[in-house]
Structure formats: C-alpha cells, structure tokens
Amino acid sequence: MHISTYIKFPFILAVILVLGGCTKDKCTKMIQTKINIPVMMALTDYWASIKSEAPKEIDRTGKIYVKDQYIFVNEPYTGIHIIDNSNPSSPQKVSFINVMGNIDIAIKGDFLYADSYTDLIVFNIRDPRNIRFVKRVPEATSLPANANGLLVGWPYNRDSIVIGYTTRDTSYCDCDPDPNIQYLASAEVASSYKNLSGTGKGGSMARFTIAKDYLYTVNYSQLKTFDLSDAANPVFKSLQTFNAFIETIFPYGEYLFIGSQNAMFIYDIANPAAPSKRSMVTHFRACDPVVVEGNRAYVTIRSGAACAGNFNQLQVFDVSNVDHPIKLSTTEMSNPHGLGIDNGKLFICEGQYGLRFMDATNVTNITTAKLVTGPETYDVIPFEGQHRLLVSARDGIYQYNYSSIANPQLLSKINVKGNPY
C-alpha cells in the first residue's frame, strides 16, 4: 500500500475481544482471524518527542516540498528531513524534525506547518540547523491510517494515544450471536474522537497548500481553512465538506483544484477565508492528483488497491471557464502517480514503470520524449525556469536537469534505507 495521500480508508479490520466465547454445544466451526492490539504512548512522551534533531539517514520517502535552497522530505509517520540543495549535484542533509504521525508539510516565510496525527504543529525554521517548536493547534486535521489501513493517533484514554498496532493470529468459535463476543473495529473506536513572506511549493500529492496568506488542508471529506496573517499563530476560519474521498489539493491563481477518487473539484478563493465551489468534473473511480498551468488542468487517474479503479490515464481539461471545464484529451498510461508541468513540459511518475518526460505543447497529442525506467517514482516538483526536476522515488530522492526532455540528465540521488510505500 502506498504511504501518501492515497492511504486506504480504514475498512473494517476487526479487533476481537472474546469475553466469554461459544460453548461447545453451540460451536459450528472455528474461524481464523487476526487480533490488532493497539500500541500506546503517553501523551506527555508524544508531545516531548516533537523536536528538531541532528540529520540522519532517510528510511522511507513520502511527500516532498521545496522552499528557497532547501528540500523538505517527509518520512511517513516519523518526521521531516531538511536538505540543503544549494548545489543540486551534491545536496547535504541539514537536520531532522521528529514529528510522529506526520504526512504533510507547508511553509510560509520562516514558519513550517506539519500535521502530527490530528494536531497542526508550527515550527520556526529561520535557522534550519536550529529549528524551534512554536505552537500546537489541536484537532486541526484528521486521523491518519497506517499502511494496514488502521487509524492511528486516536486517544486510548485520557493520558495516552495509539501510535501503532501489533498483530497476532487467533481463532474463535463461529456460532449463533453471543453477547459475550464483541467485534470492535478500529475505525469505529477512533470515530469517537472529535473528528506574504514567500511560500514554498509542494508536489501534486499534497494535502496541505498555502495561498493568499491562508493554509488549506484536505482530508477524506473536508477542506479546512486557516488564517496565516500572523504566521506563527494559525487561526481556523472555515470548513467545507465533500461527499467524496478527497486526496489532493493544488493552488493556481484564484482557485484551488481538489482531487478525489471520482472527481476534480474547483473552488475559488476570492474570499480566501471561505472557499466557494465553482464546479466539479467526475471520472472513473481512481486515484486523482491534479496540476494546472495556464488554462489547462492535467489529471492522472490510476488503478490500484487503494484506488479501486481499473483505468490508467492522463486527462487534460480546459479550465478557462472554471464553471464548465471541458475535457480536451485522454492519454493512456501505465500506472500514473504524481505529476508536474513546466511551460508545456510534463512529468509523470509511473510508479514501478519509471518516470515520463513528456511534450504537452499540443494537449491533443501529448507524447513521451523519454521514459526513465528503474526508479519506482511517486511524486515530482519541477523548478520552473531552472529546468530542474525533484523526484520522490522508492529508493531515494532524484534530481534531473531537463533542458532536453528527450535526454534528461541525472544530477544527484539521495539514497534511502527502506521503502517509501
């Protein structure tokens, strides 16, 4: 399963507590299953763990973000690696921010915003080698799910939270309903929990973004808005709800383009404190990141266990009239993930199939100039005007020079120890 905005919604993975059990005369057969046992951490230890540390090896890659000469790499559920990219041919690790439950990042000026389970954490990053904790905004985001689809970060009791699970095999008797047997799904347990200085740039898989001095965050069914007029003190302003599984958010001009598993939504931010829906375009059920350049929106949809779809395509829409987007073209793909666009040069991560450098100057005839195979790619960020591409992949962080998209040149690679998803 891919650790990203495309985490599975926690379907019913049962934790079974047998308080009494069936009697032998009622038993018809034994059922084999698994018990997921919560691993707890004291709240005081969790809060104390949020801090800046010395740089260390990257174990897994997740979301990527760039600001000035720095690259920020999320290590899913663990924290954020900060890398000095002054020399793209030799990037250097600077520090690591330990943030349990972290998936997304956004930056405004000297302040970095990161999710930590349901909390929004603010850091001062003026000195990337001496990062300071500023503030914790509780219950600002939604509960994440781990790689097995189980919710983490929910309160086990007043003094502790669940940070993971151990799993063991077990069996129980299949018989008539017995009040002594209770089936407690992790999702059900968790549902009891309450549910311009310069900005940086995130990838197409981002669920956090900043526009007009506001932070916008999306979760499974919500768009939340925070006022960053005082960058050190985010203030919640509004909440929009969706009847859809929301996955990504991308800002462009006066609009937010929001990807879900079956649609692209367009919201205007004429009133940035309260985004307003303008339109939506439905498509086959699939994973759906989106990027925009000019009056063109580029959407990838893909199949996969987390997406439940059967189509792998690039779709291009004319969004010159945001109230009535028009599909311009469809290009068949292998298994597209994140994407980026720079002046008609299109970059698409094809997962295990590699990385496509594409010519999109004619949107009705988009062609692949180069397919780089080998890396299992996840998301990209193009440095507009610099012909440089940052790529998050299974085995590391790559940088390419794409002055020639038919012959991109590898500038550097930051290795990782483990797998990102």
Side-chain angles (χ1 to χ4, degrees):
M1 133 99 231
H2 294 248
I3 300 297
S4 69
T5 52
Y6 297 91
I7 52 180
K8 295 180 191 174
F9 188 82
F11 297 111
I12 304 305
L13 298 178
V15 178
I16 303 174
L17 302 180
V18 182
L19 303 180
C22 300
T23 59
K24 289 184 178 180
D25 60 324
K26 292 182 180 180
C27 189
T28 58
K29 64 179 178 179
M30 296 300 293
I31 302 297
Q32 302 297 317
T33 188
K34 293 182 182 296
I35 292 178
N36 297 292
I37 304 168
V39 176
M40 281 82 72
M41 172 180 272
L43 281 173
T44 52
D45 292 337
Y46 157 58
W47 292 328
S49 73
I50 300 174
K51 59 185 178 180
S52 177
E53 300 177 351
K56 63 181 185 179
E57 286 189 86
I58 302 173
D59 189 55
R60 298 176 300 150
T61 58
K63 306 290 182 68
I64 49 177
Y65 196 92
V66 295
K67 172 70 163 62
D68 301 328
Q69 77 268 35
Y70 294 99
I71 301 170
F72 299 80
V73 179
N74 156 252
E75 184 168 321
Y77 308 105
T78 302
I80 304 160
H81 298 269
I82 301 179
I83 299 164
D84 187 339
N85 197 39
S86 299
N87 180 1
S89 297
S90 181
Q92 301 295 316
K93 298 184 185 72
V94 170
S95 59
F96 175 74
I97 311 176
N98 194 81
V99 191
M100 296 181 65
N102 173 249
I103 299 173
D104 279 272
I105 311 161
I107 298 173
K108 176 176 184 278
D110 293 332
F111 296 93
L112 180 148
Y113 309 93
D115 57 345
S116 178
Y117 298 125
T118 61
D119 296 339
L120 178 65
I121 310 297
V122 184
F123 295 95
N124 186 310
I125 58 169
R126 176 174 294 180
D127 179 359
R129 291 171 173 78
N130 184 27
I131 294 168
R132 295 185 292 107
F133 170 85
V134 175
K135 187 174 184 178
R136 167 181 166 264
V137 181
E139 300 179 26
T141 62
S142 61
L143 288 163
N146 67 12
N148 295 317
L150 293 166
L151 291 176
V152 289
W154 52 274
Y156 188 82
N157 54 40
R158 181 179 298 179
D159 302 318
S160 63
I161 62 172
V162 171
I163 62 170
Y165 297 84
T166 59
T167 304
R168 67 178 176 85
D169 294 325
T170 190
S171 60
Y172 67 96
C173 181
D174 181 25
C175 58
D176 293 332
D178 190 320
N180 290 324
I181 299 180
Q182 299 182 18
Y183 301 87
L184 301 179
S186 61
E188 296 170 341
V189 174
S191 67
S192 64
Y193 192 51
K194 295 179 182 178
N195 227 6
L196 184 67
S197 298
T199 62
K201 180 180 179 181
S204 64
M205 297 294 202
R207 294 185 306 140
F208 279 25
T209 197
I210 295 175
K212 291 189 171 183
D213 285 336
Y214 285 80
L215 171 67
Y216 300 98
T217 71
V218 291
N219 61 29
Y220 311 115
S221 61
Q222 299 175 329
L223 165 65
K224 292 184 178 181
T225 304
F226 297 85
D227 186 347
L228 300 181
S229 299
D230 179 357
N233 295 287
V235 177
F236 173 75
K237 300 300 290 187
S238 66
L239 169 68
Q240 313 282 336
T241 59
F242 299 82
N243 185 23
F245 196 114
I246 300 302
E247 297 173 316
T248 63
I249 184 169
F250 186 88
Y252 193 82
E254 294 292 312
Y255 304 98
L256 300 175
F257 293 80
I258 298 170
S260 79
Q261 284 196 354
N262 60 3
M264 175 184 72
F265 296 85
I266 304 177
Y267 275 68
D268 77 42
I269 48 175
N271 176 6
S276 175
K277 180 182 175 182
R278 296 295 294 268
S279 63
M280 66 177 287
V281 178
T282 59
H283 55 64
F284 301 111
R285 179 174 172 83
C287 295
D288 174 18
V290 54
V291 297
V292 183
E293 182 174 70
N295 57 9
R296 302 288 188 260
Y298 302 81
V299 179
T300 57
I301 62 175
R302 80 174 189 274
S303 61
C307 310
N310 296 311
F311 295 88
N312 292 283
Q313 297 176 342
L314 165 69
Q315 298 183 354
V316 183
F317 294 86
D318 182 343
V319 291
S320 52
N321 182 348
V322 295
D323 295 313
H324 298 286
I326 299 172
K327 185 190 290 187
L328 299 175
S329 66
T330 298
T331 304
E332 296 301 318
M333 308 295 291
S334 297
N335 193 228
H337 289 60
L339 70 165
I341 182 77
D342 178 18
N343 196 30
K345 295 178 179 179
L346 182 65
F347 316 96
I348 297 185
C349 296
E350 283 271 37
Q352 65 180 313
Y353 300 99
L355 173 65
R356 288 188 190 272
F357 292 79
M358 308 187 76
D359 182 350
T361 51
N362 179 358
V363 296
T364 61
N365 184 32
I366 297 175
T367 58
T368 297
K370 180 72 172 180
L371 173 63
V372 176
T373 59
E376 184 171 342
T377 57
Y378 171 63
D379 204 6
V380 295
I381 299 177
F383 293 77
E384 290 92 343
Q386 300 181 44
H387 303 292
R388 199 154 38 86
L389 186 71
L390 185 69
V391 184
S392 175
R394 187 180 187 90
D395 64 339
I397 303 296
Y398 292 76
Q399 287 189 85
Y400 291 90
N401 181 307
Y402 58 84
S403 297
S404 168
I405 58 171
N407 187 30
Q409 300 298 307
L410 179 65
L411 296 173
S412 62
K413 178 191 175 187
I414 303 169
N415 291 315
V416 302
K417 293 192 302 181
N419 295 328
Y421 37 80

